[in-house]
Amino acid sequence: MKLGLSEIDYRSLFDNMIDGLAYCKMIFDADGLPADFIYITVNENFEKLTGLKEAEGKKVTELIPGIRASNSELFEIYGKVSLTGKPEKFETYVQPLGRWFSISVYSPKKNFFVAVFQNITDRKEIEKDLESAKTAARNVLKDLEIEKKKIAETSAKEEAILAGIADGCIAVNEKGEIILINQTAQKMLGYTQEESIGKLWHEILHREDESGNPISPEKGAIRAALSTTTTTTTTTTTTTSSFYLRKDRTKFPISRTVSPIILEGKVIGAVNIFRDITREKEIDREKSEFVSLASHQLRTPLTGIEWTIELFSKKEKLTEEGRKYLDYIHYSAVRLSNLIKLLLNVSRIESSSMSVVSKPLDLVELINENMREHQALCDRGKISFIFSKHPQKLIATTDKNLIGYIIQNLVSNAINYTPTGGKVEMLLEEKKDSLQFRVQDTGIGIPKKEQEHIFKKFARASNASIVKPDGTGLGLYIASEAAKLLGGKIWFESDEGKGSTFFVQLPLMSPDRAGNKELVLEPK
Ligand code: ADP
């Protein structure tokens, strides 16, 4: 090709271009459609950028077989530019070369065109990577959105559950600020969610004891739960009577359970689940009243029966068989009478309206008295019975009837559950602010797996019935409740077949309790 005088200059210019350059002639078919083009001149970078060698003088269809099918737009655009003279700029992927190009085309004269191009494959790769990254990010966002929706659904479900439960539920954070109050709690207390959230729990929850004295939040279970160290995690269920005050200052009795919320070993708050037990208390009171009434009504005819049997056995001449039957009737009547006594005791100890009155008394004397009463029983069973270790005197301010019941019950059990020839030993000692009374026996003991239930109502160990068929399993329950009323406790250690030791620990000064009738327990 002739470029005139400045050909050398042009050449050097072309060859020094970073872009690729091709000067071509367009070939049209019989219908005037662009069919092919011939490379007339290419610059030095052409080969580098396309990978095509010795292009000059060759048709593109020869040089790049398959180009017509893969890149028909090249022919269209080049044809149009070489006919119209209007320059174009475009990007395309030349599949047979596996490269992307950005191409500018113009036409210096009709049927000829110049293509100036850059290999943009790397940029396209980056763009592709960027696009994949964008798609991935979009997917992650979409996943996040789904997760968010799921969490929202779960928390809506949890809220619905919380709203639906019949118990009040209040959760606080580690600072004691309310973070959740369910609908039941709002209804029970008369505070709305808006009034409660963010407040300290004791601004909403005011607790009082049976006598109407406010209970300090510092002494409560929520404070305890928040001060929990993870090694001493506890759930506190409040069983003693207490009341919550509503916003309008009326009150209702509650039963509640408070647990710390622990996350990764740290206490991050506490949950308080509570319920209004007005109805339960009423039922309890009605039950106690019924038992008390029924027991009284049952006792009168029973005393009549016992009295008649006695008279009958004294006055009438009876055959040996007749006497056996009468003895059995008598034994059953006594058993029934004892059971009624115990049921009366249970109903009395469970009734919170009875008073407990403490007065100073000498426990050494009380135990000695008790010992005299049991001596005959011990003699009969050839049981050695001793009050071994005790101070000269031990004065405690306590309720005589209740402590008397405890001693009598433990001592009679020890004697009853110790076979002939055994030993029952009593000990009394003064500790710091308390006294400890101990009854030790060499009896049948209590099987390990039954020990945890032994203070429950009607609980009897499997080995007890053989030794004492007429037991009721009520004595220990009453005794342990009596000890609790006096501010103390009862526990035991026992080995089956070897013996048992029952311990009673009581304060030297028992608390009094106000009531409308004195609580009196009848001895077993
Ligand atoms: P009861 O003696 O009328 O069955 P208690 O409530 O006094 O009722 O005792 C409950 C159960 O505890 C007894 O049935 C017996 O199984 C066990 N128990 C109590 N004291 C002793 C004891 N000293 N030795 C062995 N078992 C005992």
Side-chain angles (χ1 to χ4, degrees), residues 2 9 43 50 56 81 116 165 225 238 266 269 281 286 296 305 333 354 386 456 476 484 497 502 504 519 523:
K2 292 239 176 315
D9 297 337
N43 72 349
T50 60
E56 288 183 358
V81 173
V116 181
I165 59 170
T238 308
K266 249 184 73 193
K281 283 210 129 191
E286 281 166 14
H296 280 298
I305 294 172
M354 292 201 167
I386 45 170
K456 290 184 184 152
L476 275 186
K484 278 187 218 160
F502 278 81
V504 185
L519 171 58

Side-chain angles (χ1 to χ4, degrees), residues 409 413-414 417 441 444-446 454 459-461 463-464 468 471-477 500 502 524:
N409 188 74
N413 273 352
Y417 293 112
D441 66 53
I444 60 169
I446 300 167
I454 222 73
R460 300 202 73 205
N463 59 349
K468 190 174 174 248
T472 59
L474 287 171
L476 275 186
Y477 165 74
S500 315
F502 278 81
K524 236 179 172 178

Side-chain angles (χ1 to χ4, degrees), residues 274-290:
F274 56 96
R275 78 155 56 132
D276 181 342
I277 54 162
T278 309
R279 184 73 194 121
E280 280 97 324
K281 283 210 129 191
E282 239 167 62
I283 293 171
D284 220 42
R285 195 178 43 79
E286 281 166 14
K287 187 195 77 188
S288 289
E289 268 172 17
F290 172 76

